Amino acid sequence: MLFLALPLALTPPVHAEATPEDHVMINQYGAVLHWEKAEVGFVVDPRNMEGLPEDGVTDAAVDAGEAWNEIETVAIEFAFDGRMNGFKGGYDEQSGVYFVDDWTSSPDLLALTTTWSNQDGVILDFDLEVNTGDHDWALESVAGKADLQNTLAHEFGHALGAGHIEGNDHATMYPASAPGETIKRDLDDADVAVAEWLYPDLPEGASLDDDRPFGACSTVPATFGWMAAPAALLAFFRRKVNA
């Protein structure tokens, strides 16, 4: 099976009037990143150096996924497959959420989602890393600390193939978050519209329009290599708040 290495911009192109399809992720072949199954399972490694109770961490992850599950007009949902201590990520067809103390990416990042896809954009695996090396975390709104469920709700959107939504800081998929913020726990209409575009719950016997971009092609960069590698690296930044 073929997997794609894909460096993606963290923000979608600017449009005069953005539509939901402007806020989805695509791979180097122009294929929309998406799942081709109705249920996406994931595990949680709740162990952390923050002293957060493991039951609370697990609940935060499950509730973050439920924010997307509650959209009644989409044909996909997240399913919690239990805890897995020692989960480390990597392509293994086992998706999961875990904490990283020895963070090597930008310290401004609150979390990072990696997805693996095939050439047609079908997502096969995702891993969601939470940066405990550079940020303090809480399970509720606490001044100076990032709310875990708030961040995970954003990252689960990336795991579905949703990109960032600029210009709407109430949207869960807005690319930054302030300390103590919890508003992104609940989806905005803009987030719902992206999920509905990616995974429409069609009536029995109906099919997607022919002009949907799944599997569409574009020019492939000459440096592209055939290897197993992340298909998308999608980040959530901590938004600086002026005193």
Side-chain angles (χ1 to χ4, degrees):
M1 187 176 291
L2 171 66
F3 309 99
L4 303 186
L6 174 59
L8 287 175
L10 294 179
T11 58
V14 177
H15 296 268
E17 294 184 7
T19 55
E21 56 263 44
D22 296 320
H23 301 301
V24 298
M25 306 307 298
I26 61 173
N27 65 21
Q28 290 185 1
Y29 283 89
V32 174
L33 291 177
H34 65 287
W35 295 88
E36 286 193 347
K37 56 184 179 180
E39 187 174 278
V40 178
F42 70 95
V43 298
V44 176
D45 184 346
R47 300 174 304 164
N48 65 93
M49 299 295 291
E50 292 287 294
L52 300 176
E54 295 186 5
D55 286 347
V57 167
T58 302
D59 289 344
V62 172
D63 289 345
E66 281 296 319
W68 296 92
N69 292 354
E70 289 173 359
I71 307 175
E72 296 180 354
T73 49
V74 301
I76 194 169
E77 64 178 16
F78 289 106
F80 175 54
D81 289 337
R83 298 184 185 183
M84 181 181 290
N85 290 348
F87 182 82
K88 294 298 183 183
Y91 177 69
D92 55 7
E93 297 191 34
Q94 175 64 74
S95 300
V97 178
Y98 63 111
F99 296 92
V100 177
D101 299 316
D102 187 18
W103 192 261
T104 57
S105 298
S106 169
D108 288 334
L109 298 180
L110 288 169
L112 189 67
T113 295
T114 305
T115 66
W116 282 262
S117 82
N118 65 17
Q119 179 175 323
D120 294 327
V122 178
I123 303 173
L124 306 169
D125 186 5
F126 80 86
D127 294 325
L128 199 169
E129 304 170 74
V130 178
N131 178 5
T132 47
D134 303 292
H135 301 284
D136 296 323
W137 293 87
L139 298 178
E140 56 189 13
S141 181
V142 176
K145 294 188 177 184
D147 179 72
L148 183 63
Q149 184 178 333
N150 192 75
T151 297
L152 293 182
H154 176 97
E155 296 301 325
F156 273 114
H158 284 322
L160 288 178
H164 286 149
I165 298 176
E166 298 283 354
N168 179 357
D169 60 3
H170 290 282
T172 297
M173 297 313 297
Y174 186 74
S177 176
E181 179 189 78
T182 59
I183 192 172
K184 292 176 177 58
R185 289 184 175 194
D186 299 311
L187 303 188
D188 184 80
D189 289 346
D191 304 302
V192 173
V194 174
E196 289 176 334
W197 189 88
L198 281 168
Y199 307 102
D201 190 8
L202 301 173
E204 186 175 354
S207 60
L208 293 173
D209 295 337
D210 292 338
D211 60 356
R212 290 293 293 275
F214 292 167
C217 292
S218 62
T219 302
V220 182
T223 56
F224 181 77
W226 303 93
M227 64 185 71
L233 295 172
L234 302 159
F236 194 33
F237 289 85
R238 175 165 176 163
R239 185 169 58 192
K240 294 180 174 61
V241 177
N242 296 326

